Amino acid sequence: MPLTKDIHLDRQPPDLKAYESGGGYEGLRKALRSMTPAEIVEEVKASNLKGRGGAGFPTGVKWSFMPKDAAGPKYLVANADEMEPGTFKDRFLLEGNPHQLLEGMMIAAYAMQVNVAYVFLRGEYKRAAQTISRAIAELYAAQYLGKDIVGSGYSLEIRLHLSAGRYMCGEETGLLNALEGKRANPRAKPPFPPVSGLWGKPTTVNNVETLCNVPHIISNGATWFKGLSRSKDGGTKLYGASGKVRRPGLWELPMGVTVREILEEHAGGMREGLRFRGLLPGGASTDFLTEEHLDVPMDFTEVQKAGSRMGTGTMIVLDDRTCPVGMLWNLEHFFAQESCGWCTPCWSGLGWIERILNAMEEGRGEPGDIEKLTFQTKFLAPGNTFCALAPGAAEPLQSGLKYFRDDFERHIREKRCPWRSM
Amino acid sequence: MPVEIDVTTVYIEDRPYPMDPEQNLLHQCLSAGFNLPYFCWHPALGSVGACRQCAVKQFKDEHDKHGRIVMACMTPASDGTRISIKDSEAAAFRAGIIEGMMLNHPHDCPVCDEGGECHLQDMTVMTGHDYRRYRFEKRTFRNQYLGPFLNHEMNRCIQCYRCVRFYREYAGGADFNSFALRNLVYFGRDKDGVLENEFAGNLVEVCPTGVFTDATLKRHYTRKWDLEFSPSICTQCSLGCNISIGKRYDTLRRVVNRYNGEVNGYFLCDRGRFGYEFVNSERRIRQSRLRTEAIGPDAAKRHLRDLVASNPGVIGIGSPRASLESNFALRALVGPDRFYAGIPSSELELLRLMLDILRSGPAGTPSLREVESSDAVLVLGEDVMNVAPRMALSLRQSVRQQPIEIAKRLHVALWQDHGVREVLQDAKGPFFIATSSATRLDDIATECCRGAPDDVARVGYAIARALHSSSPEPQDLADNQRAFVESVTNAFKMAKRPLVISGASYRNIGIIRAAANVSRVLPGATLSFITPECNSFGLAFLTGTSLEAAIKAKPTAAIVIENDLYRRLPAPEVDSFFSQCAHVVVLDHLENRTTTRAELVLSTATFAEADGTLVNNECRAQRFFGVFPPSETIRQSWQWLGEWENLDRVIADMSGGVPGLSGIAQAAPSAAFRMSGAKVPREPHRWSGRTAVLANITVDEPKPPVDLNSPLSFSMEGNPDQPPAALIPFFWSPGWNSAQATNKFQEEIAGPLRGGDPGVRLIEAGQGEGIPMASRAAESDEDARLSAPNRDRQGADAFNGALFASVPSAFQPRENEWLIIPLFHIFGSDELSRAAPAVAQLFPDPYLALNADDAAKFGAEASVMGRNLPVRVTPGLPQGVAGLPSGLPPLEGIMLPAWSGISRI
Amino acid sequence: MLSPEEQREIEAELPHYPTKQAVSIDAMKIVQKHRGWVSDEALEDIGKFLGMSTSDLDGVATFYNLIFRKPVGRHVVYICDSVSCWIMGATSISDRLTARCGARLGESTADGRFTLLPIVCLGACDHAPVMMVDDDLHLDLEPAKAEDILDRYK
Ligand SMILES: Cc1cc2nc3c(=O)[nH]c(=O)nc-3n(C[C@H](O)[C@H](O)[C@H](O)COP(=O)(O)O)c2cc1C
Ligand code: SF4
Ligand code: FES
């Protein structure tokens, strides 16, 4: 499994030497020596690599939007803001093998003829900050970064930026504002970042996991990469499970393994005495899947067909002793806190949703509350707001209302949370 | 000018409408007359898609039955677009937005100053949201002290971001921002304090609800529907912004913007908005007096007539702050030969020169809208922000003109405000300032060049020379000057719509000539002169004889209108004039030093009680109408001075009798104008208390006062339809009670008012011949003679558009003397707003400005021209130049620039 | 006044970005690293250093949750309150710690030793519940264990 083969969390991450001895920077050399930027973009397109940040946009296509002849600087940003609740995959990659990310960035940067790249790292990821900055320093020392990299004539600077914290910083245009030292409200699109991104210049933002795949695609080819997958989306994927399962964890598996396989084989099924009720397949902003969906393959297309999204691929599992209303209150509290305050449906709607769920949990739910919540989920639908935070917040709620309606009704009827006295 | 624009067809509720593809759907729906609610969008600020209020349903084609919700303000009006406003899902969504905004909005409409003209109220009614479903506690904020102009009530905020967009992005303020996030976004300063930006008052109208309200109005609060309004013109600088003034009982309550697409657009400056309170001042002269005795109006008038009859040598002294009509009435009374401008020759000469220059062209003079669309600007010798503030706001937009081409190239729609701002970043188009000290626009300037006034002129000449070899060449420029000249020249050569701004601030003829030369050698250039007062140009149309000439004439009797001569000339000169003049009649509205010297004081109308015409800095004649009915004891100057039946008669006499003024009748419809036989009501139709207003005096409802001077009525009776643009007393339309009702009065959103923006230009662009370049060089010798220092007026009048040739020599600092120049203050330099308590709070104390080196020689205080003043270090002042704040007591009447020693105390 | 060290660190960030404003967040974090929090005065000083108004900076500061505009204790305890930790009992952790510290979330202990803060998902959901004390991540918590951990921070 390419992404994780060199990661051993009980050891220090591979330094430049160790990384190179395992074949590291071969992809970069190959790219710089024997491929044109356009060929790299084509290779990545052919690999069917889809963005691992959650939206699943084809990476090669995204890169091809970058103008080829624009004057002035262009930028690449590795989105290492990982703040989606229930998601813990990028931290693993950052702490476990920083050079893999940096090599991916370098190839991507070369493919788009970018000369400055940033790693936008979540402020709380202290260890990752160390591993990344150490690795960058190693690269500069070895003249892998700076002017004229490995004699190719191509120059690249990579900088680490530590965020001051906000979920919005992960949204790609909010991130651009954050990196410019502004409030992280997202930007209007169009213009899209490849037209006007950082400081008004063409910019591409990619997720950490996305970029980590790139060296392997270049080293081994698109066909090999597609072959790793069990689905149309290429490659492997870091899948995770948290909640009351026997073995919570993170695994690199072929793209398209089923939900059941992850839940039962890798996570070991539910803990003793608990029953499975549902799960959010890819972080807080995805719709619940239930028993009936266990055989859905985890890829971008199939999970969508089942009415949810693969998102980050790290599932949060709900058991039968945990209150779904409480869980949704927790989720919506998060979204309400993190709303940047730009769009009315988001800043007003999420605050209201949170209060209703809180009231239900505390025995103050009222008839009509379910209808209000339902209205709000429509209110927050895609297209109604500027960015995907609000529709993302609506996803667990709308599916929760569908699958756990009895629980909501009981809260209102019994004027208490039935799980609290259990 | 016919401009070719593409037209596309957009289908609204399945009916086709022709639309401008360069615009968004919201703009176009409103232009087409639809009621589509919105908050964050503003016609001058563009779209940012924050509030999500303007949602409509968009359909792929006529078969699409589902459609999807889009924000009209963020959707281009492209060909074949099909939308529905009525669609039930879209309507429900819009009602939901209001509901969301109302979660935390206090239910305080009855005690909110915005009530009755609140866009939020209007939109709430429009969307039909009428029932509260939210049962939780509301959030509460602490409010801030923001200075004397604005109240802050953050609990009412609906997070539309208009305030911060206007304040920071449009007006360039830095001391105001959005703080925090989610449903707790706070708009204010980082701590309590006076808002620094000169346009903060616009927040009153920009905020769609009652977060920012007019603090001066609050002290004498009246609802919009209970105010009586008149269309008026701001008298506090030379730009002539259109204002709507509101009164109730005997006080003027407030000033709001009156949209004029060519002049002020949507915004005013704070002096113009808040300076009105002098009208209510304790210092008002409400009763005429003979020496110390109050006398009735008939007796007063008789006395004036007798005095004129028995003093054949009586002279008249006019005023740049009085209307054309009042000045003309005085001129008619005393005869043109004995009518003098109430300003010193140093100012009058310049005004007349400016008019000559504008008349002879070829450069036209731009309206503020045209200033805004200029793509390269040179300011010569003017502190625009402090002298003509609203123009500074236009200049802030003009620096976007060149960079905006980048946005066009990247196909970012220009209405997409934040998209454009991201693309432009900090890019600013060419904007150059040459002045003697720092100005409030330096932050957007490409380059600034500081020098004494003569050096500013020389730099101007050098630019003209660099652009065209027939303009004279100043010798021995300093390196920094040469670099500046080169930058300006390069920028101007590339520009499509270059603009030169100059004026009379430094009373320096060289600066004006240099500006003229630049404008003349630069194809396509416009030239804007800033004049000192609201009717400076009007006065210059009427007379060519200065105040000094009046004094020199040693008259035995003089009539002074609306003019405190002690602000014009040094006190000893004015004193001696008055002491040798046996009979002095003064017509004015506020007590001042001049009124104390009068034998007869006639209580005179302010702009709020008067009707008349003012000529602004672009030679646009604009009519203002009083909001107070005629009073027993107060008359307009022209009414005191003559026997005209009404204003139209004065205008008729004047336009026939004074060259250049023949067009002024067209500034507004005459008093005889009627709409379907009825007058235009000054009072909204919901004006209340009509039968009770005078109940403490009589229970009979008196007949409304008659207005002989205008087609406006002093009542709620009249034709409720939209009047011609010059007569709009207030903006209101069914369902649109706030200032946003302006939408309904425009031909197109943000375009001209229906029937054309009001005002007539007395000098049209490029009227003059614009002598061919080749022949100019040949004439330059003669021109040098013409513009030699002591040339007479005849010579100047004969000036025909050639290039000026006499370059001043470089400024030479003196050993123990400084050249004292005037420095201007938006709050403080103007005469009348001194009597407005809110504005007065922001006056600086008098000071002596010196550069850091010179200041170090004197310590904290110094003595200059017989006064001890605190020393203020002022950046930019050249070596050997000092400054005094203009017009600020006790420094008024000092003629600047002047040389003076400065001594230690 | 910014200390020479703070100035040096901020200056070192400048070449990483094309505009000074881009350094605003780094600058505030640098000052916070040295002083624990960012005071009004510090904000003004940073503003002068970067050519930004205090309102500019404070607008940024108040947007982000890792910039403290109030003093904090010697140790900042971030208790993850996101969904996986919540399922795994994060509430019992914060209940125990707030009781033990006599301070609610968002408050500091009377002796200035700890500030307790809720934090969103720390990306260690497979070891929930978790917390971070200063720079150290602590996994697989139980109430008693969490309390013991606090004892180690003096
Ligand atoms: C509110 C919000 C938060 C997001 N947070 C992240 C994040 O932390 N990391 C990330 O890679 N993508 C995040 N995304 C997705 C990004 O906007 C963007 O799609 C992604 O970085 C693109 O990278 P990819 O194409 O490689 O997936 C977020 C999106 C939204 C709407
Ligand atoms: S959806 Fe929410 S988070 Fe996204 S831009 Fe709008 S207000 Fe901000
Ligand atoms: S007016 Fe369109 S979103 Fe605010």
Side-chain angles (χ1 to χ4, degrees), chain A residues 103-124:
Chain A
E103 185 183 1
M105 287 176 74
M106 293 164 78
I107 297 170
Y110 172 70
M112 291 178 270
Q113 290 295 293
V114 157
N115 299 104
V116 182
Y118 291 92
V119 179
F120 187 95
L121 181 64
R122 201 179 157 187
E124 294 92 329

Side-chain angles (χ1 to χ4, degrees), chain B residues 284 562 589 603-607 609-610 634-637 640:
Chain B
R284 277 301 298 278
E562 305 180 42
H589 40 70
S603 51
T604 303
T606 64
F607 76 100
E609 293 125 346
I634 296 175
R635 303 271 159 92
Q636 309 189 31
S637 288
W640 284 126

Side-chain angles (χ1 to χ4, degrees), chain A residues 167-168 171 184-187 335 338-347 350 380 384-391, chain B residues 49-50 52 161 182, chain C residues 63:
Chain A
Y167 182 48
M168 278 314 300
E171 197 279 341
N185 296 108
R187 296 180 178 177
F335 289 115
E338 296 299 318
S339 165
C340 79
W342 190 251
C343 317
T344 312
C346 179
W347 60 253
L350 290 173
L380 297 173
N384 292 354
T385 55
F386 223 68
C387 84
L389 183 142
Chain B
R52 320 306 279 180
Y161 291 86
R182 63 181 89 95
Chain C
F63 189 92

Side-chain angles (χ1 to χ4, degrees), chain A residues 49-59 62-63 77-84 87 89-90 120 122 166-175 186 189 204-211 285 300 309 311-312 334-335 338 387-392:
Chain A
L49 171 64
K50 287 189 179 171
R52 307 295 198 235
F57 194 83
T59 305
K62 193 186 227 178
W63 292 4
V77 184
N79 188 343
D81 192 53
E82 191 164 72
M83 236 168 137
E84 177 84 15
T87 303
K89 65 183 186 71
D90 294 341
F120 187 95
R122 201 179 157 187
R166 273 308 164 202
Y167 182 48
M168 278 314 300
C169 298
E171 197 279 341
E172 68 176 347
T173 57
L175 180 153
K189 286 160 273 195
T204 288
V205 178
N206 276 126
N207 171 256
V208 166
E209 186 185 349
T210 311
L211 290 164
S285 58
F300 291 107
R309 291 186 307 115
T312 59
F334 163 80
F335 289 115
E338 296 299 318
C387 84
L389 183 142

Side-chain angles (χ1 to χ4, degrees), chain B residues 232-237 239-243 268 271-273 534 607 614:
Chain B
S232 185
I233 303 294
C234 179
T235 57
Q236 317 222 355
C237 87
L239 299 178
C241 292
N242 293 199
I243 55 176
L268 298 175
R271 176 155 98 195
R273 185 182 294 272
C534 63
F607 76 100
L614 301 173

